[in-house]
Amino acid sequence: MEDVEMSFRKLYSLIFTIMVFAMIFAAGCISGHGHKSTPSIPLKPVACPTGKNLTLINDARNVTLEDPSYRLAVNLMKGELEEAKALYQVAVLTKGNKNVLTSLSNLSRELLSDSTIINDTAIRIGNATYTYVVLSVCDYHDPHCKEEVRFLPDTVDVSGVVARLLPPNWTTSTATYTGIPYRTYVVTLGNRTCRVYFNELSTLIMSPLTAKDYLLLIDGGKAQSCGSHDRVYTIHVGFSNANTGERKEISLLLIGVE
């Protein structure tokens, strides 16, 4: 009888020891010690506009900061940028992306790794602050959305920056394969005027970054010539999921704060 009781005690002691180690291990994982886990993607679903707001954003033509369509576009851009940043973190940890990562501009890398949106007109990227203007936001086949979103106004007038989209100078058959920019804007900064250009992401020669089931494309981040102002940049970011058909895209104009 004593032998049986002793066996039960040993078994109980063993179970108790295993439970203690399990609790310590779990606590270590929760506290973040040890190896870092791969970031989950997407970071969070972007809230989709519905009803009247959807009509406003899709039918936007000439917008200012006060227009509901622009404010909605800014909110969508913030969500999509956070998703793109989460995908970028995964891409950095994914083998095979090394050459693509080095081909990105410094500003593009900082935007996706070290940026914070301050408010509806300012963003912090690295150690610099920029005024930003949302030129386009697209959201296609989002599993959380019933409708597709396409914000691409003819004119955006925000923070003293006016960006006017020029009519395309190419036909559907030639698209951008001829080297003609996909979109051209005339940008006015005070008494200075210049042109900035965007390429169609799907026709870029550079390879996309891979992040699990997603492909991430980044273009721009290099200074545009705008008279005496040498701190004008374009940023074009898009990502897609081949399995679900989901595709999101944002294009921004950045002006360095002097």
Side-chain angles (χ1 to χ4, degrees):
M1 185 68 178
E2 291 181 359
D3 292 339
V4 175
E5 185 177 352
M6 182 66 69
S7 298
F8 273 111
R9 287 180 179 177
K10 289 182 179 180
L11 179 60
Y12 178 81
S13 177
L14 178 62
I15 294 173
F16 179 78
T17 302
I18 293 173
M19 290 178 63
V20 169
F21 274 108
M23 291 173 66
I24 294 173
F25 177 76
C29 292
I30 294 172
S31 63
H33 295 300
H35 297 289
K36 293 183 178 179
S37 61
T38 302
S40 60
I41 50 177
L43 185 65
K44 58 182 178 181
V46 176
C48 298
T50 57
K52 185 177 180 181
N53 286 338
L54 183 64
T55 302
L56 282 172
I57 195 169
N58 283 350
D59 292 342
R61 290 291 179 264
N62 305 301
V63 300
T64 64
L65 181 63
E66 290 74 26
D67 288 335
S69 58
Y70 188 77
R71 304 302 290 271
L72 182 57
V74 167
N75 289 333
L76 285 172
M77 180 278 295
K78 292 177 181 177
E80 291 190 14
L81 180 57
E82 287 303 310
E83 287 189 285
K85 290 168 69 175
L87 289 171
Y88 181 77
Q89 292 179 34
V90 176
V92 169
L93 300 175
T94 303
K95 294 180 179 180
N97 283 332
K98 184 176 180 180
N99 292 334
V100 183
L101 287 168
T102 56
S103 69
L104 299 177
S105 66
N106 291 335
L107 184 62
S108 296
R109 284 195 292 268
E110 285 190 327
L111 173 73
L112 295 172
S113 62
D114 184 21
S115 65
T116 303
I117 294 180
I118 300 172
N119 52 39
D120 288 349
T121 60
I123 183 172
R124 186 84 175 171
I125 303 176
N127 295 321
T129 301
Y130 300 82
T131 295
Y132 72 85
V133 178
V134 179
L135 298 179
S136 71
V137 182
C138 298
D139 192 339
Y140 301 123
H141 303 294
D142 188 324
H144 305 95
C145 304
K146 295 182 179 180
E147 303 287 346
E148 295 184 343
V149 177
R150 183 175 182 271
F151 175 79
L152 183 61
D154 297 327
T155 304
V156 182
D157 184 351
V158 174
S159 300
V161 180
V162 180
R164 181 169 58 86
L165 179 63
L166 294 181
N169 57 354
W170 46 266
T171 62
T172 304
S173 59
T174 58
T176 55
Y177 296 101
T178 58
I180 300 173
Y182 179 61
R183 277 189 276 139
T184 303
Y185 287 87
V186 173
V187 177
T188 302
L189 300 164
N191 57 359
R192 293 166 290 183
T193 301
C194 61
R195 294 192 179 195
V196 298
Y197 307 95
F198 289 86
N199 295 310
E200 169 58 48
L201 290 177
S202 62
T203 62
L204 293 178
I205 298 176
M206 66 175 289
S207 302
L209 293 170
T210 58
K212 292 188 178 179
D213 295 331
Y214 287 82
L215 297 178
L216 179 63
L217 278 163
I218 307 101
D219 189 32
K222 297 179 181 178
Q224 302 277 330
S225 176
C226 197
S228 59
H229 202 303
D230 60 354
R231 299 193 65 199
V232 177
Y233 304 86
T234 56
I235 289 284
H236 198 181
V237 178
F239 55 93
S240 60
N241 186 320
N243 296 328
T244 64
E246 177 186 359
R247 180 166 63 89
K248 299 183 182 182
E249 194 173 314
I250 58 177
S251 62
L252 303 175
L253 184 67
L254 301 176
I255 301 94
V257 177
E258 297 177 327

